[in-house]
Amino acid sequence: MDPSNPVVALCAQGMAVEGTPDEALCLFEQAWAIRRDDFDAAIAAHFLARHQSTDAATLHWNALAVEHAEAVTDGRAAELLASLYLNLGDSHARLGQLAPARAAARRAVEHLVTLPPGGYRDFIVMGIDRLTHRLDTAQDSDRTS
C-alpha cells in the first residue's frame, strides 16, 4: 500500500487509535469522504466495516468494500479480495445468511492465489477455515432440527 495515498494514511492513523473506537471511526469516515476511486473506497469501506454498531451495518460496509475492490481494473486490489470476501462471508454468517456466507467463503478461497506465501496468507487461510467450519456446523445443525 502506498503510504502517500491520503486514504491509506488516514486508515493507518485510524488503526493506530483503534483502542479509542470513536476516534478511529472518525478517521475512517474522513478516509471515505476523500476517496478518489474504487481502490480508495474499498480500503475505507473495509475499515469502516470494522467499527459499526450492528451486524447489518457491518455487512453493508463489507459488501461495499468487495464491490469497490472488484471494480478496480488495474490489479491494485487483487491482494485485498481474499480478506474482503472472508469478512463479507463472516458478516453474512453473523446474520444467519448461510448461502451467501458460503458463496463468499468460496470466493475468498478463489482469491488466495493472489497472496504470496507467508504470515498474511496463512492468517487469511486460517480465517477461511474457521468460517467454513462455522458454516458446516450450522449446516449440520440445520439438518438435525
Side-chain angles (χ1 to χ4, degrees):
M1 298 254 179
D2 177 7
S4 67
N5 176 324
V7 168
V8 171
L10 281 167
C11 289
Q13 290 172 10
M15 286 189 322
V17 297
E18 281 188 306
T20 312
D22 290 341
E23 189 176 343
L25 179 59
C26 182
L27 289 162
F28 299 141
E29 287 171 339
Q30 288 175 40
W32 178 258
I34 66 165
R35 68 195 185 279
R36 300 169 297 185
D37 60 15
D38 285 310
F39 181 74
D40 288 353
I43 292 168
H46 165 70
F47 286 102
L48 280 164
R50 293 167 38 161
H51 288 274
Q52 298 305 305
S53 60
T54 67
D55 290 338
T58 301
L59 172 61
H60 167 78
W61 286 105
N62 279 327
L64 276 177
V66 167
E67 178 184 327
H68 285 287
E70 287 285 5
V72 176
T73 59
D74 61 10
R76 288 179 294 158
E79 290 186 3
L80 304 176
L81 285 164
S83 174
L84 296 179
Y85 273 110
L86 170 59
N87 293 339
L88 180 62
D90 182 65
S91 287
H92 280 299
R94 288 178 186 274
L95 290 168
Q97 301 168 352
L98 302 182
R102 288 185 186 97
R106 283 191 299 273
R107 294 289 290 154
V109 169
E110 291 168 10
H111 286 284
L112 285 172
V113 298
T114 65
L115 298 178
Y120 178 69
R121 185 182 197 283
D122 295 344
F123 180 73
I124 299 302
V125 168
M126 181 181 67
I128 293 168
D129 289 346
R130 289 175 63 189
L131 174 60
T132 301
H133 176 73
R134 278 177 38 216
L135 294 170
D136 289 346
T137 302
Q139 181 179 8
D140 290 342
S141 66
D142 288 345
R143 278 190 247 147
T144 59
S145 47

